[in-house]
Amino acid sequence: VLRDSKLIEYKGDKQPCGFHHEINSFTQNEIQLSDGDCIYTFTDGFPDQFGGPKGKKYKYKQLEELVISNKDRSFAEQKIKLETSFEDWKGDLEQIDDVCIIGVGV
């Protein structure tokens, strides 16, 4: 949740959504939201992508900074900034995983 230029992180359970040998219930969280909050959920594909000048991973901290720096833009503009940043980082390297980022405003 992005609130007042600060990210509040709610970690997900470390288990797959599909078939798994050991089926456990997912943790349910009740989150109080405020007007102006934005909720972002994403796969690990963006931060795990290799690229940049040294061929390293993008990492979560850099993604968080990108989301915060674009918080005042429309979601359409944020999408363009995210796509551009990802492609610039990846460069000529192969994309290694699926990438999904969902943003919702309150």
Side-chain angles (χ1 to χ4, degrees):
V1 175
L2 180 58
R3 177 181 296 151
D4 299 326
S5 299
K6 293 183 183 162
L7 278 175
I8 305 164
E9 184 177 0
Y10 297 91
K11 294 202 178 231
D13 295 321
K14 297 248 181 207
Q15 64 178 338
C17 295
F19 176 78
H20 192 267
H21 300 296
E22 201 175 306
I23 299 174
N24 298 313
S25 297
F26 285 97
T27 303
Q28 292 188 25
N29 296 303
E30 193 167 312
I31 301 167
Q32 290 300 122
L33 298 173
S34 302
D35 285 342
D37 284 354
C38 291
I39 303 163
Y40 294 91
T41 186
F42 47 87
T43 63
D44 60 355
F46 198 120
D48 283 352
Q49 179 62 48
F50 292 101
K54 296 183 180 178
K56 303 256 183 184
K57 285 187 178 184
Y58 193 88
K59 301 221 176 175
Y60 288 94
K61 183 68 175 166
Q62 191 170 330
L63 178 56
E64 290 173 6
E65 291 169 357
L66 179 61
V67 168
I68 291 169
S69 70
N70 286 289
K71 69 178 182 58
D72 294 326
R73 298 180 188 274
S74 70
F75 282 113
E77 291 173 310
Q78 289 181 42
K79 177 180 184 270
I80 292 167
K81 289 288 187 183
L82 286 163
E83 288 173 338
T84 302
S85 180
F86 183 81
E87 289 300 322
D88 289 348
W89 181 262
K90 183 175 72 70
D92 293 333
L93 296 177
E94 184 177 333
Q95 183 172 329
I96 61 165
D97 201 356
D98 61 273
V99 174
C100 180
I101 299 178
I102 300 171
V104 179
V106 177

Short mmCIF file of all heavy atoms in Angstrom, two decimals, residues 16-59:
data_model
loop_
_atom_site.label_atom_id
_atom_site.label_comp_id
_atom_site.label_asym_id
_atom_site.label_seq_id
_atom_site.Cartn_x
_atom_site.Cartn_y
_atom_site.Cartn_z
N PRO A 16 2.80 -21.80 -3.60
CA PRO A 16 2.22 -21.57 -4.93
C PRO A 16 0.69 -21.47 -4.87
O PRO A 16 0.06 -21.96 -3.93
CB PRO A 16 2.66 -22.80 -5.72
CG PRO A 16 2.87 -23.85 -4.70
CD PRO A 16 3.33 -23.15 -3.46
N CYS A 17 0.14 -20.83 -5.90
CA CYS A 17 -1.32 -20.73 -6.00
C CYS A 17 -1.92 -21.99 -6.61
O CYS A 17 -3.07 -22.30 -6.38
CB CYS A 17 -1.71 -19.52 -6.87
SG CYS A 17 -1.25 -17.96 -6.16
N GLY A 18 -1.13 -22.71 -7.40
CA GLY A 18 -1.60 -23.92 -8.07
C GLY A 18 -1.36 -25.16 -7.24
O GLY A 18 -1.27 -25.12 -6.01
N PHE A 19 -1.20 -26.29 -7.92
CA PHE A 19 -0.99 -27.57 -7.25
C PHE A 19 0.31 -27.59 -6.47
O PHE A 19 1.33 -27.09 -6.93
CB PHE A 19 -0.99 -28.71 -8.27
CG PHE A 19 -0.68 -30.05 -7.65
CD1 PHE A 19 -1.66 -30.74 -6.96
CD2 PHE A 19 0.59 -30.58 -7.74
CE1 PHE A 19 -1.36 -31.96 -6.36
CE2 PHE A 19 0.90 -31.80 -7.14
CZ PHE A 19 -0.09 -32.49 -6.45
N HIS A 20 0.26 -28.17 -5.30
CA HIS A 20 1.44 -28.32 -4.46
C HIS A 20 1.23 -29.55 -3.59
O HIS A 20 0.10 -29.88 -3.22
CB HIS A 20 1.63 -27.06 -3.61
CG HIS A 20 2.95 -26.99 -2.93
ND1 HIS A 20 3.15 -27.45 -1.66
CD2 HIS A 20 4.14 -26.50 -3.35
CE1 HIS A 20 4.42 -27.24 -1.32
NE2 HIS A 20 5.03 -26.66 -2.33
N HIS A 21 2.30 -30.24 -3.27
CA HIS A 21 2.20 -31.48 -2.48
C HIS A 21 1.61 -31.22 -1.09
O HIS A 21 0.89 -32.05 -0.55
CB HIS A 21 3.57 -32.14 -2.33
CG HIS A 21 4.17 -32.52 -3.64
ND1 HIS A 21 3.58 -33.45 -4.48
CD2 HIS A 21 5.27 -32.08 -4.29
CE1 HIS A 21 4.31 -33.58 -5.57
NE2 HIS A 21 5.34 -32.74 -5.49
N GLU A 22 1.93 -30.08 -0.52
CA GLU A 22 1.46 -29.73 0.81
C GLU A 22 0.54 -28.52 0.69
O GLU A 22 1.00 -27.40 0.44
CB GLU A 22 2.67 -29.39 1.69
CG GLU A 22 2.42 -29.50 3.15
CD GLU A 22 3.70 -29.27 3.94
OE1 GLU A 22 4.70 -29.95 3.66
OE2 GLU A 22 3.68 -28.38 4.80
N ILE A 23 -0.75 -28.73 0.86
CA ILE A 23 -1.72 -27.64 0.70
C ILE A 23 -1.97 -27.00 2.06
O ILE A 23 -2.39 -27.66 3.01
CB ILE A 23 -3.04 -28.15 0.09
CG1 ILE A 23 -2.76 -28.74 -1.29
CG2 ILE A 23 -4.06 -27.02 0.01
CD1 ILE A 23 -3.96 -29.40 -1.93
N ASN A 24 -1.70 -25.70 2.15
CA ASN A 24 -1.95 -24.92 3.36
C ASN A 24 -2.89 -23.79 3.04
O ASN A 24 -2.94 -23.30 1.90
CB ASN A 24 -0.64 -24.35 3.91
CG ASN A 24 0.35 -25.42 4.30
OD1 ASN A 24 0.00 -26.37 4.97
ND2 ASN A 24 1.60 -25.27 3.85
N SER A 25 -3.61 -23.32 4.02
CA SER A 25 -4.49 -22.16 3.83
C SER A 25 -3.63 -20.91 3.69
O SER A 25 -2.57 -20.80 4.30
CB SER A 25 -5.43 -21.99 5.02
OG SER A 25 -6.28 -23.10 5.14
N PHE A 26 -4.12 -19.97 2.89
CA PHE A 26 -3.44 -18.69 2.77
C PHE A 26 -3.82 -17.80 3.94
O PHE A 26 -4.94 -17.86 4.45
CB PHE A 26 -3.82 -17.99 1.45
CG PHE A 26 -3.16 -18.60 0.25
CD1 PHE A 26 -3.84 -19.52 -0.53
CD2 PHE A 26 -1.88 -18.25 -0.10
CE1 PHE A 26 -3.23 -20.08 -1.64
CE2 PHE A 26 -1.26 -18.80 -1.21
CZ PHE A 26 -1.95 -19.73 -1.98
N THR A 27 -2.88 -16.97 4.37
CA THR A 27 -3.14 -16.01 5.43
C THR A 27 -4.07 -14.92 4.91
O THR A 27 -3.89 -14.42 3.81
CB THR A 27 -1.81 -15.35 5.89
OG1 THR A 27 -0.92 -16.38 6.30
CG2 THR A 27 -2.05 -14.38 7.02
N GLN A 28 -5.06 -14.59 5.72
CA GLN A 28 -5.97 -13.50 5.34
C GLN A 28 -5.63 -12.28 6.18
O GLN A 28 -5.50 -12.36 7.40
CB GLN A 28 -7.43 -13.90 5.58
CG GLN A 28 -7.89 -14.99 4.63
CD GLN A 28 -9.38 -15.24 4.75
OE1 GLN A 28 -10.14 -14.37 5.14
NE2 GLN A 28 -9.79 -16.43 4.38
N ASN A 29 -5.47 -11.14 5.52
CA ASN A 29 -5.17 -9.89 6.20
C ASN A 29 -6.32 -8.92 5.97
O ASN A 29 -6.84 -8.82 4.86
CB ASN A 29 -3.89 -9.27 5.65
CG ASN A 29 -2.67 -10.12 5.91
OD1 ASN A 29 -2.39 -10.44 7.06
ND2 ASN A 29 -1.97 -10.50 4.87
N GLU A 30 -6.68 -8.20 7.00
CA GLU A 30 -7.66 -7.13 6.87
C GLU A 30 -6.89 -5.82 6.98
O GLU A 30 -6.20 -5.57 7.97
CB GLU A 30 -8.71 -7.22 7.97
CG GLU A 30 -9.90 -6.35 7.71
CD GLU A 30 -11.06 -6.69 8.63
OE1 GLU A 30 -11.39 -7.86 8.77
OE2 GLU A 30 -11.61 -5.72 9.20
N ILE A 31 -6.98 -5.01 5.93
CA ILE A 31 -6.18 -3.79 5.84
C ILE A 31 -7.10 -2.58 5.78
O ILE A 31 -8.00 -2.51 4.95
CB ILE A 31 -5.28 -3.84 4.58
CG1 ILE A 31 -4.37 -5.07 4.64
CG2 ILE A 31 -4.49 -2.57 4.43
CD1 ILE A 31 -3.69 -5.38 3.33
N GLN A 32 -6.87 -1.63 6.68
CA GLN A 32 -7.63 -0.38 6.66
C GLN A 32 -7.03 0.53 5.61
O GLN A 32 -5.83 0.83 5.65
CB GLN A 32 -7.57 0.30 8.04
CG GLN A 32 -8.35 -0.42 9.11
CD GLN A 32 -9.82 -0.52 8.80
OE1 GLN A 32 -10.34 -1.62 8.75
NE2 GLN A 32 -10.50 0.56 8.58
N LEU A 33 -7.84 0.96 4.68
CA LEU A 33 -7.37 1.85 3.60
C LEU A 33 -7.91 3.25 3.82
O LEU A 33 -8.96 3.44 4.44
CB LEU A 33 -7.82 1.31 2.25
CG LEU A 33 -7.26 -0.05 1.86
CD1 LEU A 33 -7.91 -0.55 0.58
CD2 LEU A 33 -5.75 0.00 1.73
N SER A 34 -7.20 4.22 3.28
CA SER A 34 -7.60 5.62 3.37
C SER A 34 -7.74 6.19 1.98
O SER A 34 -7.14 5.69 1.03
CB SER A 34 -6.53 6.42 4.13
OG SER A 34 -6.33 5.91 5.42
N ASP A 35 -8.52 7.27 1.86
CA ASP A 35 -8.62 7.95 0.57
C ASP A 35 -7.23 8.35 0.10
O ASP A 35 -6.42 8.85 0.88
CB ASP A 35 -9.48 9.22 0.70
CG ASP A 35 -10.96 8.91 0.79
OD1 ASP A 35 -11.36 7.79 0.43
OD2 ASP A 35 -11.72 9.79 1.24
N GLY A 36 -6.96 8.11 -1.16
CA GLY A 36 -5.67 8.45 -1.73
C GLY A 36 -4.66 7.31 -1.70
O GLY A 36 -3.60 7.41 -2.32
N ASP A 37 -4.95 6.23 -0.96
CA ASP A 37 -4.05 5.08 -0.95
C ASP A 37 -4.02 4.42 -2.33
O ASP A 37 -5.02 4.44 -3.05
CB ASP A 37 -4.50 4.01 0.06
CG ASP A 37 -4.21 4.38 1.50
OD1 ASP A 37 -3.56 5.41 1.75
OD2 ASP A 37 -4.64 3.61 2.40
N CYS A 38 -2.90 3.83 -2.67
CA CYS A 38 -2.78 3.02 -3.87
C CYS A 38 -2.25 1.65 -3.46
O CYS A 38 -1.32 1.56 -2.66
CB CYS A 38 -1.83 3.66 -4.88
SG CYS A 38 -2.48 5.16 -5.62
N ILE A 39 -2.85 0.62 -4.01
CA ILE A 39 -2.46 -0.75 -3.71
C ILE A 39 -1.73 -1.30 -4.92
O ILE A 39 -2.22 -1.21 -6.05
CB ILE A 39 -3.70 -1.62 -3.41
CG1 ILE A 39 -4.50 -1.02 -2.26
CG2 ILE A 39 -3.29 -3.06 -3.13
CD1 ILE A 39 -5.91 -1.56 -2.19
N TYR A 40 -0.55 -1.85 -4.69
CA TYR A 40 0.24 -2.46 -5.76
C TYR A 40 0.52 -3.91 -5.37
O TYR A 40 0.90 -4.19 -4.23
CB TYR A 40 1.57 -1.73 -5.95
CG TYR A 40 1.42 -0.33 -6.45
CD1 TYR A 40 1.32 0.74 -5.56
CD2 TYR A 40 1.37 -0.06 -7.81
CE1 TYR A 40 1.18 2.04 -6.02
CE2 TYR A 40 1.22 1.24 -8.27
CZ TYR A 40 1.12 2.27 -7.37
OH TYR A 40 0.98 3.56 -7.83
N THR A 41 0.31 -4.79 -6.30
CA THR A 41 0.69 -6.19 -6.11
C THR A 41 1.44 -6.62 -7.37
O THR A 41 1.13 -6.15 -8.46
CB THR A 41 -0.54 -7.09 -5.83
OG1 THR A 41 -0.11 -8.41 -5.53
CG2 THR A 41 -1.51 -7.10 -6.98
N PHE A 42 2.43 -7.48 -7.19
CA PHE A 42 3.25 -7.82 -8.34
C PHE A 42 3.92 -9.17 -8.15
O PHE A 42 4.09 -9.65 -7.04
CB PHE A 42 4.31 -6.75 -8.61
CG PHE A 42 5.06 -6.30 -7.39
CD1 PHE A 42 6.20 -6.97 -6.97
CD2 PHE A 42 4.62 -5.20 -6.67
CE1 PHE A 42 6.88 -6.55 -5.84
CE2 PHE A 42 5.31 -4.78 -5.54
CZ PHE A 42 6.44 -5.46 -5.13
N THR A 43 4.29 -9.75 -9.28
CA THR A 43 5.08 -10.98 -9.28
C THR A 43 6.55 -10.61 -9.07
O THR A 43 6.91 -9.43 -9.09
CB THR A 43 4.94 -11.73 -10.61
OG1 THR A 43 5.46 -10.92 -11.66
CG2 THR A 43 3.48 -12.09 -10.91
N ASP A 44 7.38 -11.61 -8.93
CA ASP A 44 8.81 -11.36 -8.73
C ASP A 44 9.57 -11.15 -10.04
O ASP A 44 10.77 -10.93 -10.04
CB ASP A 44 9.46 -12.50 -7.93
CG ASP A 44 9.36 -13.85 -8.62
OD1 ASP A 44 8.69 -13.95 -9.69
OD2 ASP A 44 9.92 -14.82 -8.10
N GLY A 45 8.86 -11.18 -11.17
CA GLY A 45 9.52 -11.09 -12.47
C GLY A 45 10.25 -9.78 -12.71
O GLY A 45 11.33 -9.77 -13.31
N PHE A 46 9.69 -8.67 -12.28
CA PHE A 46 10.33 -7.37 -12.49
C PHE A 46 11.60 -7.25 -11.65
O PHE A 46 12.69 -7.02 -12.19
CB PHE A 46 9.33 -6.25 -12.16
CG PHE A 46 9.66 -4.90 -12.72
CD1 PHE A 46 8.79 -4.26 -13.59
CD2 PHE A 46 10.82 -4.23 -12.36
CE1 PHE A 46 9.06 -3.00 -14.09
CE2 PHE A 46 11.10 -2.96 -12.86
CZ PHE A 46 10.23 -2.35 -13.72
N PRO A 47 11.53 -7.42 -10.32
CA PRO A 47 12.76 -7.26 -9.53
C PRO A 47 13.82 -8.33 -9.78
O PRO A 47 15.00 -8.10 -9.54
CB PRO A 47 12.28 -7.31 -8.08
CG PRO A 47 10.93 -7.91 -8.12
CD PRO A 47 10.36 -7.62 -9.47
N ASP A 48 13.43 -9.49 -10.28
CA ASP A 48 14.40 -10.57 -10.55
C ASP A 48 15.05 -10.48 -11.93
O ASP A 48 15.94 -11.26 -12.24
CB ASP A 48 13.72 -11.94 -10.42
CG ASP A 48 13.51 -12.34 -8.97
OD1 ASP A 48 14.02 -11.65 -8.06
OD2 ASP A 48 12.84 -13.37 -8.73
N GLN A 49 14.63 -9.51 -12.75
CA GLN A 49 15.16 -9.40 -14.10
C GLN A 49 16.61 -8.93 -14.09
O GLN A 49 16.96 -7.97 -13.42
CB GLN A 49 14.32 -8.43 -14.94
CG GLN A 49 14.82 -8.23 -16.35
CD GLN A 49 14.81 -9.52 -17.18
OE1 GLN A 49 13.81 -10.23 -17.18
NE2 GLN A 49 15.90 -9.81 -17.86
N PHE A 50 17.45 -9.63 -14.85
CA PHE A 50 18.85 -9.25 -14.99
C PHE A 50 18.97 -8.14 -16.04
O PHE A 50 18.22 -8.10 -17.01
CB PHE A 50 19.70 -10.45 -15.42
CG PHE A 50 19.82 -11.49 -14.36
CD1 PHE A 50 19.05 -12.64 -14.41
CD2 PHE A 50 20.69 -11.31 -13.29
CE1 PHE A 50 19.16 -13.61 -13.42
CE2 PHE A 50 20.80 -12.27 -12.29
CZ PHE A 50 20.03 -13.42 -12.35
N GLY A 51 19.93 -7.24 -15.82
CA GLY A 51 20.17 -6.17 -16.78
C GLY A 51 21.05 -5.09 -16.17
O GLY A 51 21.83 -5.35 -15.26
N GLY A 52 20.88 -3.88 -16.67
CA GLY A 52 21.70 -2.77 -16.20
C GLY A 52 23.13 -2.90 -16.69
O GLY A 52 23.48 -3.83 -17.42
N PRO A 53 23.98 -1.98 -16.28
CA PRO A 53 25.36 -1.96 -16.79
C PRO A 53 26.19 -3.18 -16.38
O PRO A 53 27.15 -3.52 -17.06
CB PRO A 53 25.94 -0.67 -16.20
CG PRO A 53 25.05 -0.30 -15.08
CD PRO A 53 23.70 -0.86 -15.40
N LYS A 54 25.82 -3.84 -15.28
CA LYS A 54 26.61 -4.97 -14.79
C LYS A 54 25.87 -6.31 -14.91
O LYS A 54 26.34 -7.31 -14.38
CB LYS A 54 27.03 -4.73 -13.35
CG LYS A 54 27.95 -3.53 -13.18
CD LYS A 54 28.38 -3.38 -11.75
CE LYS A 54 29.30 -2.17 -11.60
NZ LYS A 54 29.70 -1.98 -10.21
N GLY A 55 24.70 -6.32 -15.54
CA GLY A 55 23.96 -7.56 -15.70
C GLY A 55 23.40 -8.12 -14.39
O GLY A 55 23.23 -9.33 -14.26
N LYS A 56 23.11 -7.26 -13.44
CA LYS A 56 22.61 -7.67 -12.12
C LYS A 56 21.08 -7.62 -12.09
O LYS A 56 20.44 -7.08 -13.00
CB LYS A 56 23.15 -6.73 -11.04
CG LYS A 56 24.65 -6.65 -10.99
CD LYS A 56 25.15 -7.43 -9.84
CE LYS A 56 26.67 -7.29 -9.76
NZ LYS A 56 27.23 -8.08 -8.74
N LYS A 57 20.49 -8.15 -11.01
CA LYS A 57 19.04 -8.11 -10.85
C LYS A 57 18.57 -6.68 -10.57
O LYS A 57 19.27 -5.88 -9.95
CB LYS A 57 18.60 -8.99 -9.68
CG LYS A 57 18.65 -10.46 -9.98
CD LYS A 57 18.04 -11.25 -8.84
CE LYS A 57 18.04 -12.73 -9.15
NZ LYS A 57 17.35 -13.49 -8.08
N TYR A 58 17.34 -6.38 -11.00
CA TYR A 58 16.74 -5.07 -10.77
C TYR A 58 16.54 -4.82 -9.28
O TYR A 58 16.84 -3.75 -8.78
CB TYR A 58 15.40 -4.98 -11.51
CG TYR A 58 14.84 -3.58 -11.62
CD1 TYR A 58 15.18 -2.77 -12.67
CD2 TYR A 58 13.96 -3.09 -10.66
CE1 TYR A 58 14.68 -1.48 -12.77
CE2 TYR A 58 13.45 -1.81 -10.75
CZ TYR A 58 13.81 -1.01 -11.80
OH TYR A 58 13.30 0.26 -11.89
N LYS A 59 16.01 -5.78 -8.56
CA LYS A 59 15.80 -5.81 -7.11
C LYS A 59 14.57 -5.00 -6.68
O LYS A 59 14.11 -4.10 -7.36
CB LYS A 59 17.03 -5.37 -6.34
CG LYS A 59 18.23 -6.24 -6.63
CD LYS A 59 18.98 -6.51 -5.39
CE LYS A 59 20.11 -7.49 -5.73
NZ LYS A 59 20.97 -7.75 -4.66
#
